């Protein structure tokens, strides 16, 4: 693993190692290495226990497949994900159409277990597999004039049946400042739990920016544009007073219609307790320096 951030864990950190070992391995381990080798690690990050895959893949926001939480799981099978091309253009040295399979052959895939906090005040913990966005941008060769990165989702209404209604101004678009995009916590996810990412979660590749509200993490990306202007973003276009460009998770800045101070973990059962929301979703130490001197209430 190239980087090891304080809040970035792999499965080994959150799952007692013994759970991975079958009985024979445990016996062999006991004989060969002594008990310490199989003792569960201290799980300081028990709040980072990954949410079950069936929850992660059946409770979704992907309006291209409908606005209900269960619509994406029901409708996303229509999406053709191979072949898949990502156009990278704008202020780059090597613009062009990049084949997804070709990109995958060049990237180092890591596991990143991240908190995922939706602006609607629910959350999950997702064991993503993917690569750092910076590595892809390096392939394209970002020019020094570039200040922002714009992203675009596929527009294909006969497969993405939610696009047949004008719920959002399709295609879905998002954007980051270049320093946010190249931060080591920012990844392109291509898998979950070690398997290809389910279509309803944004196959074959989607952005994951763990310190921002989930709507920044745009799915099924077909275009990445380097630009010197702040790019338009879908939810900001739909309701500018409710969804800003930055959208960093912030328990102190309420959404105009609800508090952001706490969140409901999905998958914990009907009576699961709400938990306090952490500043920048728990990644403050890693990313606060990106926003030094900025008024986070104004630049929400
Ligand atoms: N990307 C696209 N293209 N379309 C969407 O509707 N929804 C966003 C984000 N990315 C969305 C999207 C929102 S609001 C959230 S909370 C997350 O995806 C949900 O990701 P998940 O379904 O994998 O949990």
């Amino acid at each position: 693993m190239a980087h090891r951030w304080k809040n970035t864990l792999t499965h080994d950190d959150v799952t007692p190692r013994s759970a991975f070992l079958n009985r024979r391995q445990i016996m062999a381990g006991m004989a060969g290495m002594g008990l310490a080798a199989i003792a569960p690690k201290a799980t300081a990050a028990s709040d980072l226990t990954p949410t079950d895959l069936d929850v992660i893949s059946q409770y979704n926001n992907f309006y291209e497949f409908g606005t209900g939480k269960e619509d994406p799981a029901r409708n996303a099978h229509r999406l053709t994900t191979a072949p898949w091309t990502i156009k990278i253009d704008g202020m780059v040295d090597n613009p062009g159409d990049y084949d997804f399979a070709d990109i995958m052959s060049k990237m180092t895939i890591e596991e990143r277990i991240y908190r995922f906090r939706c602006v609607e005040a629910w959350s999950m913990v997702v064991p993503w597999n993917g690569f750092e966005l910076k590595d892809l941008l390096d392939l394209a060769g970002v020019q020094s004039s570039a200040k922002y990165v714009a992203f675009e989702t596929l527009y294909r209404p006969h497969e993405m049946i939610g696009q047949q209604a004008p719920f959002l101004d399709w295609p879905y678009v998002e954007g980051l400042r270049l320093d946010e995009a190249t931060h080591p916590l920012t990844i392109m996810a291509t898998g979950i739990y070690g398997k290809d990412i389910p279509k309803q979660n944004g196959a074959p590749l989607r952005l994951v920016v763990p310190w921002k509200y989930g709507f920044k993490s745009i799915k099924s990306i077909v275009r990445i544009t380097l630009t010197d202007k702040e790019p338009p973003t879908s939810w900001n276009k739909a309701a500018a007073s409710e969804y800003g460009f930055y959208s960093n998770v912030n328990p102190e800045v309420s959404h105009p219609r609800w508090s952001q101070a706490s969140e409901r973990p999905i998958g914990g059962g009907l009576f699961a307790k709400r938990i306090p929301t952490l500043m920048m979703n728990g990644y403050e130490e890693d990313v606060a320096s990106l926003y030094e001197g900025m008024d986070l209430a104004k630049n929400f």
Side-chain angles (χ1 to χ4, degrees):
M1 200 163 137
H3 302 275
R4 207 167 156 82
W5 294 82
K6 213 164 285 136
N7 284 300
T8 305
L9 303 181
T10 70
H11 230 108
D12 275 3
D13 298 308
V14 293
T15 309
R17 193 154 163 67
S18 54
F20 281 144
L21 303 174
N22 67 32
R23 203 179 139 72
R24 243 182 92 218
Q25 287 171 311
I26 290 174
M27 308 268 280
M30 284 168 94
M33 299 177 277
L35 258 180
I38 58 153
K41 282 185 185 175
T43 51
S46 55
D47 61 326
L48 273 171
T49 302
T51 305
D52 287 346
L53 180 60
D54 56 359
V55 174
I56 294 172
S57 61
Q58 287 172 43
Y59 185 96
N60 299 102
N61 277 337
F62 199 170
Y63 284 5
E64 285 85 337
F65 294 106
T67 54
K69 294 286 183 270
E70 289 160 18
D71 290 342
R74 195 178 305 126
N75 296 326
H77 64 91
R78 297 165 193 263
L79 180 65
T80 313
T81 54
W84 190 273
T85 308
I86 301 127
K87 180 184 285 301
I88 307 185
D89 60 0
M91 295 168 170
V92 289
D93 293 334
N94 313 308
D97 292 333
Y98 288 70
D99 178 59
F100 174 68
D102 196 41
I103 289 173
M104 287 298 275
S105 71
K106 297 195 169 95
M107 294 292 149
T108 308
I109 302 298
E110 300 177 23
E111 183 185 50
R112 298 281 182 98
I113 299 179
Y114 284 159
R115 292 183 202 87
F116 188 85
R117 169 62 157 83
C118 178
V119 74
E120 298 164 339
W122 54 261
S123 64
M124 298 185 188
V125 176
V126 185
W128 304 105
N129 311 97
F131 54 85
E132 290 182 12
L133 174 58
K134 179 179 186 302
D135 292 343
L136 180 58
L137 296 178
D138 284 348
L139 268 188
V142 177
Q143 296 177 348
S144 58
S145 49
K147 302 276 176 288
Y148 294 91
V149 189
F151 304 87
E152 196 176 300
T153 294
L154 178 72
Y155 179 69
R156 197 182 284 162
H158 57 283
E159 292 186 9
M160 299 180 128
I161 56 171
Q163 288 177 333
Q164 293 169 15
F167 190 82
L168 285 171
D169 180 16
W170 311 114
Y172 195 100
V173 289
E174 256 305 336
L176 294 173
R177 232 169 46 191
L178 185 60
D179 57 349
E180 300 176 318
T182 55
H183 191 282
L185 284 177
T186 304
I187 60 166
M188 282 290 185
T190 57
I192 296 177
Y193 275 107
K195 299 193 191 103
D196 286 351
I197 191 166
K199 291 181 178 179
Q200 57 268 37
N201 292 93
L205 89 169
R206 57 95 56 89
L207 185 68
V208 178
V209 195
W211 70 94
K212 292 179 178 284
Y213 291 120
F215 66 85
K216 297 293 292 182
S217 293
I218 179 175
K219 297 176 170 184
S220 305
I221 294 167
V222 290
R223 186 172 182 187
I224 299 175
T225 307
L226 279 290
T227 162
D228 57 0
K229 289 180 191 66
E230 187 181 288
T233 60
S234 279
W235 281 102
N236 180 257
K237 283 197 288 180
S241 61
E242 301 194 358
Y243 309 102
F245 176 78
Y246 284 94
S247 297
N248 295 322
V249 175
N250 190 337
E252 290 156 21
V253 176
S254 296
H255 184 277
R257 291 182 281 130
W258 59 86
S259 162
Q260 295 291 22
S262 69
E263 64 203 47
R264 182 171 57 99
I266 304 294
L270 207 53
F271 302 105
K273 277 209 188 101
R274 294 184 76 86
I275 55 173
T277 289
L278 302 173
M279 181 57 106
M280 298 185 183
N281 207 22
Y283 302 95
E284 188 181 10
E285 270 183 62
D286 295 321
V287 298
S289 62
L290 297 175
Y291 309 103
E292 239 162 58
M294 269 178 60
D295 182 340
L296 295 177
K298 273 203 197 116
N299 296 283
F300 64 93

